[in-house]
Amino acid sequence: MGDAHRVGVVGLGVISGAYLDTLAGHPAVRVTAVADLDAARAATAVAALPGARALTVEELLSSPDVDTVLNLTTPAAHAGIALGAIAHGKHVYGEKPLAAGLEEARAVVAAAAQAGVRVGCAPDTVLGTGIQTARAAVAAGSVGRPQFASAVMVTPGHERWHPHPDFYYTAGGGPLLDMGPYYLSALVHLLGPVRAVTGAAGRLRAERVIGSGPRAGERIPVEVDSHVSGVLEHVDGTLTTLTTSFDGVATTAAPIEVHGERGSLSVPDPNRFDGEVRLHALGDTQWRALPVSAGYADGARGVGLLDFLASGGRRANGEVALHVLETMTALLRSAAEGRRVELTTSTAVPAPVPLTAAADWRGQSAPGRA
């Protein structure tokens, strides 16, 4: 990649540590600046990043030594930060979802196209060995022609462990917009884009109780649906039944299953980079694990940004993120209006990831690296 690509990080909350663990010291990138509304957090972060400066958000967005802005703010701020970076001619890679609302997301993608810069978006877990091995199995015909799929995410809610969970229950939050990007991005890789959806949703509790941290015991309001289900119609005719919920305790359902004429495939948790892919072929008496055959081995948060920079945005890009966001907002709209909703966006299926050793994508194979 030549000289190290200069990255400025906006937002230093819980997830930033995972990104910085991957990026700090990587030969392909150099974190040159960080910014957070909490100046103390920014100061703490730069102490572990030699050569980085703690700036205000505005200073970072306009800084001449930042090529790409890594946007790790809360969903409500995603679009504003992205548009600010684009206005200064910078590429943007952000946490999911692309924006809190569909029109904001469209504006980000349109502004980037006009400015000639790239937009990337998490999740990058779909680039790990779990989803990529499953994708390779589907592409190889292991299940035959896919007929239908299921995707299930059930949890009691993030307020049990997150010290400041408010944004999970406000606009841009909820189980679908929070966790749905992992599942829907994986389904796009496995089965292609979606043409229409039918949804149903509910808000089963009016408030939640924070379970940890300095605000433990505090009650926060629930302003979004906390259980969303629906059916996705993929462009090739495959149907996926989706459930995302903050209102259950646990489930024995596989995170994703793909069923075809010749077999059924059990796909691991798309919120992880790895996991066992299992196949039950027609005529077999039991499931069997498939060997790892594709994806970034030992993946970690931030591998999507590295891939985005190295590939020119071929995979975790704005087109995929916009389509995933419209799929989710269409489900919520369908639930509210009680009707089937056709999508207006589509996306090319991202290029598959060949099996890549951790030492290679982490840059440890480069000269001078251990």
Side-chain angles (χ1 to χ4, degrees), residues 312-331:
R314 294 176 63 209
R315 297 187 180 96
N317 57 46
E319 180 185 87
V320 174
L322 179 62
H323 181 64
V324 165
L325 181 59
E326 190 191 12
T327 303
M328 295 187 295
T329 56
L331 275 167

Side-chain angles (χ1 to χ4, degrees), residues 36-221:
D36 192 276
L37 294 178
D38 183 341
R41 285 206 298 200
T44 299
V46 296
L49 297 167
R53 297 182 296 156
L55 305 175
T56 67
V57 172
E58 293 75 14
E59 289 170 341
L60 187 148
L61 296 181
S62 62
S63 174
D65 66 350
V66 171
D67 302 312
T68 291
V69 172
L70 175 57
N71 184 4
L72 304 182
T73 56
T74 58
H78 284 180
I81 297 297
L83 289 170
I86 291 166
H88 288 286
K90 303 186 188 308
H91 307 297
V92 183
Y93 183 94
E95 256 302 318
K96 48 76 188 168
L98 183 58
L102 182 59
E103 294 312 309
E104 288 180 312
R106 290 187 195 273
V108 169
V109 172
Q114 184 173 4
V117 299
R118 297 190 300 273
V119 173
C121 188
D124 53 5
T125 48
V126 296
L127 307 182
T129 54
I131 300 303
Q132 290 296 313
T133 294
R135 174 179 173 171
V138 172
S142 295
V143 301
R145 184 166 66 91
Q147 302 289 294
F148 69 96
S150 61
V152 179
M153 191 289 299
V154 175
T155 174
H158 297 330
E159 71 276 7
R160 295 169 300 123
W161 58 269
H162 199 294
H164 300 287
D166 310 67
F167 68 93
Y168 289 116
Y169 299 101
T170 59
L176 182 61
L177 288 176
D178 175 49
M179 297 299 292
Y182 297 105
Y183 290 78
L184 290 167
S185 297
L187 289 166
V188 167
H189 277 259
L190 291 164
L191 302 172
V194 176
R195 68 185 180 199
V197 301
T198 303
R203 195 174 311 177
L204 304 184
R205 281 178 273 174
E207 59 183 18
R208 300 286 178 129
V209 180
I210 299 177
S212 64
R215 299 170 61 198
E218 180 181 337
R219 295 179 178 272
I220 58 174

Side-chain angles (χ1 to χ4, degrees), residues 214-296:
R215 299 170 61 198
E218 180 181 337
R219 295 179 178 272
I220 58 174
V222 176
E223 300 173 4
V224 295
D225 290 324
S226 53
H227 181 102
V228 184
S229 296
V231 175
L232 317 177
E233 302 173 30
H234 295 269
V235 293
D236 69 350
T238 306
L239 300 177
T240 294
T241 302
L242 172 72
T243 298
T244 63
S245 185
F246 284 164
D247 290 312
V249 173
T251 179
T252 59
I256 298 176
E257 288 183 341
V258 179
H259 303 276
E261 299 167 309
R262 295 172 49 192
S264 295
L265 193 72
S266 178
V267 182
D269 185 351
N271 191 23
R272 293 180 52 186
F273 287 90
D274 55 8
E276 187 176 73
V277 179
R278 298 185 299 145
L279 175 68
H280 197 302
L282 186 66
D284 285 354
T285 59
Q286 59 185 2
W287 295 87
R288 62 182 176 88
L290 299 182
V292 171
S293 62
Y296 289 113

